[in-house]
């Protein structure tokens, strides 16, 4: 009887150990799995999308406190025509100007309209037919994500857009986004897919841009 109990206890322990090892393996795979594309896209398109992400990442650490964010605003203001004929001030909110500056540096303003206001930029993407209203959509790197901070209840968010960032990658069930004016600096923002404060996504036509600009 004692021997049988020992065998049972040993079997249970091996099962538990196996479960622990499996969870550790899954966890390690998840931790080291790179952030990236949730689906495959053509290599040239992927490279163009990542060019926008890398342009944005080149400003990581820029912040208002030391004035290093000014070069972002200067780049935005250097582009013509200026949206609404308005020159962004260093004391203004600058998340949309940040996204626009990244597009300017990559010469992608044909598919990413420059703006200093989130809601107006959404309207421009709607005009282009590149706006995704569904909050639960899964974006690709190089897509833009808009937020409504006042959205506190569950359900489709259709309020006024307060903030914007550039999707840097996905790793289910999370999004990695790079944002300007995020806590007064350029930094990464991690959130769940279908977060209730997601207003929607702008999905620039990278494939169409390549078709028109590739010899």
């Amino acid at each position: 009887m004692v021997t049988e109990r020992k065998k049972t206890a040993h079997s249970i322990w091996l099962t538990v150990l196996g479960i622990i090892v499996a969870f550790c393996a899954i966890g390690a795979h998840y931790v080291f799995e790179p952030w990236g594309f949730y689906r495959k896209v053509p290599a040239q398109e992927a490279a163009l999308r990542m060019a926008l992400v890398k342009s944005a990442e080149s400003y990581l650490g820029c912040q208002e406190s030391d004035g290093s964010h000014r070069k972002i605003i200067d780049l935005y203001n250097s582009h013509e025509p200026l949206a609404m004929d308005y020159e962004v001030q260093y004391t203004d909110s600058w998340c949309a100007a940040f996204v626009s500056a990244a597009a300017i540096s990559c010469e992608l303003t044909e598919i990413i309209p420059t703006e200093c206001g989130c809601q107006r930029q959404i309207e421009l993407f709607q005009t282009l037919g590149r706006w995704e209203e569904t909050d639960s959509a899964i974006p690709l790197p190089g897509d833009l994500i808009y937020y409504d901070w006042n959205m506190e209840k569950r359900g489709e968010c259709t309020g006024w857009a307060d903030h914007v960032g550039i999707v840097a990658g996905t790793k289910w069930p999370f999004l990695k986004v790079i944002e300007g004016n995020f806590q007064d600096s350029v930094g990464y923002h991690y959130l769940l897919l279908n977060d209730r404060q997601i207003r929607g996504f702008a999905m620039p036509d990278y494939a169409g841009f390549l078709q028109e600009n590739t010899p």
Side-chain angles (χ1 to χ4, degrees):
M1 181 66 72
V2 174
T3 301
E4 288 298 321
R5 288 178 180 173
K6 286 183 178 180
K7 287 182 179 179
T8 301
H10 183 67
S11 177
I12 293 172
W13 167 243
L14 288 177
T15 301
V16 171
L17 183 61
I19 293 172
I20 292 172
V21 169
F23 270 108
C24 288
I26 293 171
H29 174 75
Y30 184 84
V31 168
F32 293 107
E33 179 73 14
W35 293 87
F37 294 74
Y38 82 96
R39 64 174 173 83
K40 190 173 182 179
V41 299
Q44 280 189 307
E45 180 182 339
L48 192 58
R49 287 174 171 276
M50 290 309 299
L52 181 72
V53 174
K54 290 175 182 177
S55 173
E57 289 177 331
S58 70
Y59 295 108
L60 277 169
C62 289
Q63 52 193 316
E64 292 182 20
S65 61
D66 61 6
S68 55
H69 76 304
R70 294 185 177 189
K71 60 185 176 184
I72 298 168
I73 294 173
D74 290 342
L75 176 56
Y76 173 83
N77 286 335
S78 71
H79 183 263
E80 296 181 353
L82 274 175
M84 305 297 291
D85 200 29
Y86 177 73
E87 190 170 292
V88 175
Q89 304 302 301
Y90 295 140
T91 53
D92 289 342
S93 295
W94 47 282
C95 57
F98 167 74
V99 167
S100 297
I104 292 167
S105 68
C106 294
E107 300 183 344
L108 289 173
T109 57
E110 181 181 328
I111 58 173
I112 302 175
T114 58
E115 248 298 348
C116 56
C118 297
Q119 193 66 33
R120 289 195 302 270
Q121 196 169 42
I122 287 176
E123 292 168 2
L124 292 172
F125 277 111
Q126 288 173 329
T127 299
L128 292 173
R130 306 303 298 184
W131 172 251
E132 175 55 68
E133 184 72 29
T134 306
D135 306 349
S136 59
I138 303 177
L140 293 168
D143 289 337
L144 310 185
I145 179 173
Y146 294 80
Y147 307 90
D148 173 13
W149 299 140
N150 297 319
M151 184 65 178
E152 297 179 354
K153 60 183 179 180
R154 293 292 175 186
E156 197 68 11
C157 179
T158 57
W160 189 269
D162 299 306
H163 190 60
V164 61
I166 298 171
V167 176
T170 60
K171 188 190 291 189
W172 192 90
F174 297 102
L175 281 171
K176 180 182 181 181
V177 183
I178 183 167
E179 301 170 7
N181 203 28
F182 177 65
Q183 298 176 346
D184 298 329
S185 64
V186 178
Y188 290 118
H189 180 191
Y190 300 88
L191 67 155
L192 284 167
L193 290 163
N194 200 24
D195 185 280
R196 63 188 177 188
Q197 292 181 320
I198 294 175
R199 174 63 183 84
F201 302 94
M203 298 184 166
D205 187 9
Y206 291 97
F209 179 85
L210 284 168
Q211 287 179 351
E212 292 181 5
N213 294 278
T214 301

